[in-house]
Amino acid sequence: MGEVKLIGSYTSLFCTRVEWALKLKGVQYEYVEDDVFNKSPLLLQHNPVHKKVPVLVHDGRPIAESLVILQYIDETWSGNTLLPQDSYDRAMAHFWAKFADEKCVMGSFMAAWKDGEEKEKAIESAQESFAFLEKLIEGKKYFSGEDEIGYLDLALGWIPLCLDIVEEVGGMKLVDAEKFPSLLEWARNFAEIPLIKERFPPRDALANYFHKIVGLKRSKK
Amino acid sequence: MGEVKLIGSYTSLFCTRVEWALKLKGVQYEYVEDDVFNKSPLLLQHNPVHKKVPVLVHDGRPIAESLVILQYIDETWSGNTLLPQDSYDRAMAHFWAKFADEKCVMGSFMAAWKDGEEKEKAIESAQESFAFLEKLIEGKKYFSGEDEIGYLDLALGWIPLCLDIVEEVGGMKLVDAEKFPSLLEWARNFAEIPLIKERFPPRDALANYFHKIVGLKRSKK
């Protein structure tokens, strides 16, 4: 199926979901680590629009945007289907993945670097968004609704990967055991899958990185 | 294929693309106009997450987010295929539609309500984004790359529909004939398609609406 290269960064939760997908599909690929603070000519050549990782390069043709890449991987390589077979369920998976990236990922980072009253509002808003995910996962093992993880589980995999680090860096709690029991149970189940766990980046390195970007955001305010 | 209802607003460029798709597919549907400034219980019931139009309700099951709806329509009803058949081309269509919504739609509205130096920056940034679309359409009739319009043409259909109104309301020019000849030629070709043209909302009503929301944004600054 041709040459596959992934330009990524171990600090990027958007890259990790792509790596999980490639591993689930059993795709052989070359991984190229990029430096977020000193972007390589390779990255700028392959993603001149956003200049961001991840970029999947398949037979010399680049694809950016992690959710677009996940769908491409699912449609290109057979085995371990990621998106649901039913078109309504597929639409729901796309809807919730977009929602989580826009409201939960961005909401958590916003809450981490804000201060005072703005921080309180950002925390409340992020928690309202997480509450939709809690409701969605109630009574299910995985977001796929199946016995195996799927597209939406991968898209939400940043929660066990780094939400607690973002909370620590931001000096706040967003998702606690009392209000989010099902979401946290899902996170534990997901993180125990060997293929998922083995691609978790070193915790200290990730914490250092988040401290750095939250600091940069704060200094720009 | 069951009952189809579209909850929309004639002022929403995100609704118009869904209507175009339904008409291209020949789907019979009931249209329910919602009031953006006084949202209906029907809308709040079917899109409790974002509380926004458009919502497509198919056999009682709601789908929100216009790009998600377009893909659902394409996968559910045959005839007049919207997304490309090739998986790489399909990924590119998704990439550019997301890019245009995030950078060109939002960028144009931002530029319209900002003032002074911030406005200059927003205009420059929006024009940089439109330049990617200009490059993409050079030498092609439609963004689909075919003789017929497709998913990406529908996603960009707001350009002939209302970009000049946003420019007028914002007292600025974003896309001119000198720098964007191919994009403007595409816009003219697209707007001349009878099925597209007949769903253009009244220009005065749209201008009044944009004046109102830009005014609201300015008063909140």
Side-chain angles (χ1 to χ4, degrees):
Chain A
M1 287 298 288
E3 192 194 51
V4 181
K5 190 183 283 183
L6 177 64
I7 309 170
S9 162
Y10 74 94
T11 56
S12 163
L13 58 97
F14 302 109
C15 294
T16 313
R17 57 171 68 149
V18 172
E19 285 212 74
W20 285 329
L22 289 170
K23 286 180 189 299
L24 274 170
K25 289 280 186 178
V27 177
Q28 296 294 316
Y29 65 97
E30 179 195 351
Y31 177 78
V32 184
E33 175 75 18
D34 212 83
D35 182 351
V36 186
F37 299 107
N38 184 19
K39 293 172 181 182
S40 70
L42 185 76
L43 174 65
L44 301 179
Q45 176 200 338
H46 284 99
N47 188 5
V49 178
H50 298 299
K51 304 178 180 70
K52 283 182 183 165
V53 292
V55 182
L56 187 78
V57 189
H58 186 196
D59 274 337
R61 300 195 297 179
I63 307 153
E65 292 282 354
S66 65
L67 294 180
V68 174
I69 298 172
L70 283 195
Q71 183 171 352
Y72 176 80
I73 289 172
D74 199 32
E75 292 173 354
T76 301
W77 289 281
S78 57
N80 283 331
T81 307
L82 301 178
L83 277 154
Q85 291 303 294
D86 174 77
S87 63
Y88 184 79
D89 294 342
R90 207 152 52 235
M92 288 303 100
H94 288 304
F95 173 85
W96 288 113
K98 184 175 190 290
F99 166 81
D101 274 6
E102 287 174 2
K103 302 290 182 181
C104 300
V105 176
M106 294 317 295
S108 301
F109 278 96
M110 286 257 296
W113 75 68
K114 298 271 185 191
D115 292 307
E117 203 181 318
E118 277 189 347
K119 190 183 195 80
E120 291 310 311
K121 275 190 189 166
I123 289 174
E124 196 183 329
S125 171
Q127 286 176 331
E128 282 171 14
S129 298
F130 280 113
F132 283 110
L133 300 184
E134 172 68 17
K135 202 171 161 194
L136 195 64
I137 193 65
E138 264 175 25
K140 285 192 275 190
K141 184 174 183 186
Y142 296 126
F143 282 96
S144 64
E146 309 285 337
D147 288 337
E148 306 293 335
I149 55 171
Y151 170 88
L152 189 52
D153 297 283
L154 298 185
L156 296 171
W158 63 276
I159 294 175
L161 186 74
C162 63
L163 178 60
D164 64 328
I165 306 179
V166 177
E167 288 176 327
E168 195 184 298
V169 169
M172 62 194 183
K173 191 73 192 167
L174 296 176
V175 172
D176 62 34
E178 194 190 337
K179 284 189 189 153
F180 301 93
S182 305
L183 187 58
L184 289 174
E185 193 189 339
W186 163 81
R188 278 189 298 275
N189 287 333
F190 180 82
E192 274 169 19
I193 298 168
L195 181 146
I196 296 295
K197 193 166 31 180
E198 73 191 24
R199 181 52 193 82
F200 269 44
R203 209 187 142 78
D204 287 356
L206 215 50
N208 285 341
Y209 170 73
F210 288 148
H211 269 294
K212 195 167 173 179
I213 55 165
V214 165
L216 280 173
K217 277 284 179 189
R218 280 192 174 134
S219 69
K220 277 186 193 162
K221 271 201 305 197
Chain B
M1 289 297 289
E3 191 193 51
V4 181
K5 192 184 281 184
L6 177 63
I7 310 170
S9 162
Y10 74 95
T11 56
S12 163
L13 58 97
F14 301 109
C15 294
T16 313
R17 57 173 69 150
V18 172
E19 285 213 73
W20 285 328
L22 290 169
K23 286 180 189 299
L24 274 170
K25 290 280 188 178
V27 177
Q28 297 294 316
Y29 64 97
E30 179 195 351
Y31 177 78
V32 184
E33 175 75 19
D34 212 83
D35 182 350
V36 187
F37 299 107
N38 184 19
K39 292 171 183 182
S40 71
L42 185 75
L43 174 64
L44 301 180
Q45 175 200 338
H46 284 100
N47 189 4
V49 180
H50 297 299
K51 305 178 179 69
K52 283 182 183 166
V53 293
V55 182
L56 187 77
V57 188
H58 185 197
D59 273 337
R61 299 195 298 178
I63 307 153
E65 291 284 354
S66 64
L67 294 180
V68 174
I69 298 173
L70 283 195
Q71 184 171 352
Y72 176 80
I73 289 172
D74 199 32
E75 291 173 356
T76 302
W77 290 282
S78 58
N80 283 330
T81 307
L82 302 178
L83 277 155
Q85 290 305 293
D86 174 78
S87 64
Y88 184 80
D89 293 343
R90 206 153 52 237
M92 289 302 101
H94 287 303
F95 173 86
W96 288 112
K98 185 174 190 288
F99 167 81
D101 274 7
E102 288 174 0
K103 302 291 181 179
C104 300
V105 175
M106 293 317 294
S108 300
F109 278 96
M110 286 258 294
W113 77 65
K114 298 271 185 190
D115 293 306
E117 202 181 319
E118 277 190 346
K119 190 184 193 81
E120 291 309 312
K121 275 189 190 167
I123 289 174
E124 196 183 330
S125 171
Q127 286 176 331
E128 281 170 15
S129 299
F130 279 113
F132 283 109
L133 300 184
E134 171 69 17
K135 203 171 160 194
L136 195 64
I137 193 64
E138 265 175 24
K140 286 192 274 189
K141 185 174 182 187
Y142 296 126
F143 282 96
S144 63
E146 308 286 335
D147 288 337
E148 306 292 335
I149 55 172
Y151 170 88
L152 189 52
D153 297 284
L154 298 184
L156 296 170
W158 64 276
I159 295 175
L161 186 74
C162 64
L163 178 60
D164 64 327
I165 307 178
V166 176
E167 289 176 326
E168 196 184 298
V169 169
M172 64 195 181
K173 190 73 191 168
L174 295 176
V175 173
D176 62 34
E178 195 190 336
K179 284 189 189 152
F180 301 92
S182 306
L183 188 58
L184 289 174
E185 193 188 338
W186 164 81
R188 278 189 298 275
N189 287 333
F190 180 82
E192 274 170 17
I193 299 168
L195 182 146
I196 297 296
K197 193 164 34 180
E198 72 192 24
R199 182 51 192 85
F200 269 43
R203 208 186 142 77
D204 286 357
L206 216 49
N208 283 343
Y209 171 73
F210 288 148
H211 269 294
K212 195 167 172 179
I213 55 164
V214 165
L216 281 174
K217 276 286 178 188
R218 280 193 174 135
S219 69
K220 276 186 194 164
K221 272 200 304 194

